[in-house]
Amino acid sequence: MFSKACEYGIKATIFIAVKSLHDQRVSLKEIAEEIDSPVAFTAKILQLLAKSGIVDSHKGPTGGFQMDRTGIDNVKVYDIVCAIDGDKIFNGCGLGLKHCDAEHPCPVHDKFIAIRDNLTTMLQKTSMFELATGLDIGLTQLKR
Amino acid sequence: MFSKACEYGIKATIFIAVKSLHDQRVSLKEIAEEIDSPVAFTAKILQLLAKSGIVDSHKGPTGGFQMDRTGIDNVKVYDIVCAIDGDKIFNGCGLGLKHCDAEHPCPVHDKFIAIRDNLTTMLQKTSMFELATGLDIGLTQLKR
DNA sequence: ATATAAAAAGACCTTTTTATCCTTAAATAA
DNA sequence: TTATTTAAGGATAAAAAGGTCTTTTTATAT
């Protein structure tokens, strides 16, 4: 569904949100440990998320990554997916056609619209706050 | 959503179904032309589809690919996706966790179940016959 | 039988994705 | 100010996906 980079990005952001709700900054190292991801690769992804304004980054001792409360409420899974994988999964044709629309549909066009719309809506509605609280109270996990 | 190989595989099978409904065998070359795909790469995918029993292949002059009427009715998009991409998209965790289930869910587990179930059901219900007739009467297209 | 036409098979190449390593820049604490 | 800590950035490597080329096998028509 998503690229590995995007999976790491979503997991990292959820963890940053959890820590931020406790007013804590987290370092790259802590994040990579928590989500069980390669450190250097995770660094690249966090760079991208920081550039996209999804997370804040700070250098130096006591530095790390953080989100403010507004971000935790407003950032949706959708935003992370768009930042890392682009919008191909939301807009692209199920069979990879470049010019597939209602006028010139591919054989699975209509069938995919419903699925795709469900996915888009779900990801647009799901905030970091929602996912972070589930993780914080031990309802969900990011490892294994 | 699907790999390029899988997209080609679905398109190729639909085209083979259309031609088979007219009692015609089609060659690799015709298929690749029709679905606008690289010939040699398409050959690999058709080999796999033939081994999986999704299409029949015949060597020699007048050879090519074909489906019988039973296959056209019974083969679902789901079967092609499983043969080429495996069942990861139907069973795998949305965040790539290896041990993600109702007992140990990832943060998006429940949200993905609905989407995934819709997708699975849709692909399990959609037969080659349905897609082939849409293409045959010019309602849908495989190119561009 | 033989030439021919087609798919099967295997070796190879290219691009993209995933991942690592090393250096640089910035911030903090002493 | 300086040592230290942390993210940013760039170069490189490994793995996977996508794609090509050549040879072999099989079937057909002549």
Side-chain angles (χ1 to χ4, degrees):
Chain A
M1 183 84 83
F2 306 131
S3 70
K4 221 93 186 48
C6 192
E7 290 176 1
Y8 293 147
I10 295 168
K11 289 193 263 191
T13 310
I14 296 172
F15 181 59
I16 294 167
V18 168
K19 290 297 187 176
S20 296
L21 285 172
H22 292 287
D23 286 312
Q24 288 169 11
R25 241 180 226 158
V26 268
S27 70
L28 166 63
K29 204 182 144 201
E30 291 174 274
I31 295 169
E33 260 163 32
E34 176 70 18
I35 71 175
D36 194 24
S37 65
V39 179
F41 189 47
T42 307
K44 303 287 178 193
I45 297 159
L46 287 168
Q47 260 178 60
L48 184 56
L49 292 175
K51 274 184 189 160
S52 309
I54 289 169
V55 302
D56 292 328
S57 75
H58 269 82
K59 291 182 179 180
T62 79
F65 299 87
Q66 207 169 12
M67 300 178 77
D68 59 22
R69 182 56 210 241
T70 314
I72 295 171
D73 285 321
N74 290 347
V75 169
K76 306 291 162 43
V77 185
Y78 180 88
D79 303 312
I80 302 171
V81 174
C82 282
I84 299 175
D85 283 351
D87 63 355
K88 209 195 105 191
I89 193 168
F90 305 116
N91 301 319
C93 164
L95 297 184
L97 298 186
K98 286 183 180 46
H99 305 91
C100 174
D101 51 45
E103 257 90 297
H104 308 91
C106 78
V108 298
H109 185 77
D110 294 329
K111 309 222 164 215
F112 266 83
I113 286 202
I115 310 279
R116 207 181 294 274
D117 284 356
N118 285 346
L119 178 69
T120 306
T121 302
M122 184 274 274
L123 295 178
Q124 280 175 345
K125 278 188 181 163
T126 306
S127 70
M128 286 306 105
F129 181 78
E130 182 183 346
L131 300 182
T133 47
L135 184 64
D136 198 32
I137 64 178
L139 218 66
T140 59
Q141 51 148 15
L142 289 177
K143 270 184 184 167
R144 293 191 314 144
Chain B
M1 182 82 83
F2 306 130
S3 70
K4 222 88 183 63
C6 192
E7 290 176 2
Y8 293 147
I10 296 168
K11 289 193 263 193
T13 309
I14 296 172
F15 181 58
I16 294 167
V18 169
K19 288 298 189 177
S20 295
L21 286 171
H22 292 287
D23 285 313
Q24 287 169 12
R25 240 177 226 163
V26 270
S27 70
L28 166 63
K29 205 181 144 201
E30 290 174 274
I31 294 169
E33 260 163 31
E34 176 70 18
I35 71 175
D36 195 21
S37 65
V39 179
F41 190 45
T42 307
K44 302 285 179 193
I45 298 159
L46 286 168
Q47 259 178 62
L48 184 56
L49 293 174
K51 272 184 190 161
S52 307
I54 289 168
V55 301
D56 292 329
S57 74
H58 268 83
K59 291 183 179 179
T62 80
F65 299 88
Q66 207 170 11
M67 299 178 77
D68 59 23
R69 182 55 211 243
T70 314
I72 295 171
D73 285 322
N74 290 348
V75 169
K76 306 291 161 44
V77 185
Y78 180 87
D79 302 312
I80 301 171
V81 174
C82 282
I84 299 176
D85 282 351
D87 62 355
K88 209 193 104 190
I89 193 169
F90 304 116
N91 300 320
C93 163
L95 297 184
L97 299 186
K98 286 183 179 45
H99 305 91
C100 174
D101 51 46
E103 257 91 295
H104 308 90
C106 78
V108 299
H109 185 77
D110 294 329
K111 309 222 163 216
F112 266 82
I113 286 203
I115 310 278
R116 206 181 293 277
D117 284 356
N118 285 346
L119 178 69
T120 306
T121 303
M122 183 275 273
L123 295 177
Q124 279 176 344
K125 278 189 181 162
T126 305
S127 69
M128 287 305 106
F129 181 78
E130 181 183 347
L131 300 181
T133 47
L135 183 65
D136 199 31
I137 64 179
L139 219 64
T140 59
Q141 50 148 17
L142 289 177
K143 270 185 185 167
R144 292 189 315 145

